[in-house]
Amino acid sequence: MKLKYIIENDKTSINQILQSKLNISSRLLFKLIKNNKIFLNGKTVDTRQTANKGDYLIIDFEYEEDNSNIIPTKMNLEIIYEDDWLLIVNKPAGIAIHPSILHYSDSLCNGIRFYFDSINLKKKIRPVNRLDLNTSGLVIFAKCEYIQESLISQMKNSTFKKEYLAICNGIFENYSGTINLPIARKENSIIERCISENGQSSITHYEVLKEFDNYSLVKCSLETGRTHQIRVHMSAINHPLIGDTLYGSISDFIHRQALHCYRLCFIHPISKKLMNFCSDLPLDFKNLV
């Protein structure tokens, strides 16, 4: 897990390369310097120095991290993709991503910790994207802090694409559109969100893929990533997700909100290649569509 960079110009500041060319945050840079993990032509270097064309930097991310805050729990993980830098799994509905009081040892992070132990990877557990407890679909785990920072940066500048499939109540008047309504935490609630002029900017693009007697299969693309964004937005236009008891009502067809993160698209921080991943529909979706 080492990143190599060839210097392109003479008398180039190493700090400038690390921060401007490789986009390493000040926080991570401090950690790398403190642990002597930056090398110029094979030797530990003072990053205040300059380098010349043809020199090469190596940034070593293979140092061990304490991940004892998460209990390892054996799980049957559906791994979609893995390399030295990241891991993508297909999360079933009913599993929380992060440990909590209610899910102290049975969250997805617990399963990833067990898997990391099995491959002797002593790293913190870093989920990049978040899904609600009862939302299924693709989740990325970064194997080091640099990958996590890089992918979060892509999310902020919209390079990172997330697409969901939702089954919504009713038939849409328009087969495609954009919902641009700000979302805020609902007063006196730690869970529920609502549309509010004081909320954060929230943008969802949608496209109706298929219609049924009284519900629709809809593709949703997120321009922002607010908590419960699709659920709140669809409810706001009177097409709440079926099975969504928080923003809609219970359903005879599915026992959770009908939402699945089926596609992720991003630039790999190391190879710079476009990565595009899709997952199959879960069984409770397939039974409906």
Side-chain angles (χ1 to χ4, degrees), residues 169-183:
N169 275 292
I171 303 300
F172 285 65
E173 182 177 353
N174 299 312
Y175 286 116
S176 64
T178 297
I179 306 168
N180 188 347
L181 296 170
I183 294 175

Side-chain angles (χ1 to χ4, degrees), residues 107-137:
S107 75
L108 189 57
C109 282
N110 296 110
I112 298 298
R113 164 70 202 280
F114 184 93
Y115 178 71
F116 277 9
D117 285 356
S118 74
I119 61 174
N120 199 32
L121 183 63
K122 305 299 182 183
K123 287 291 187 180
K124 290 183 178 180
I125 313 303
R126 294 184 168 96
V128 176
N129 59 314
R130 300 171 298 169
L131 299 179
D132 296 335
L133 171 72
N134 286 319
T135 297
S136 55

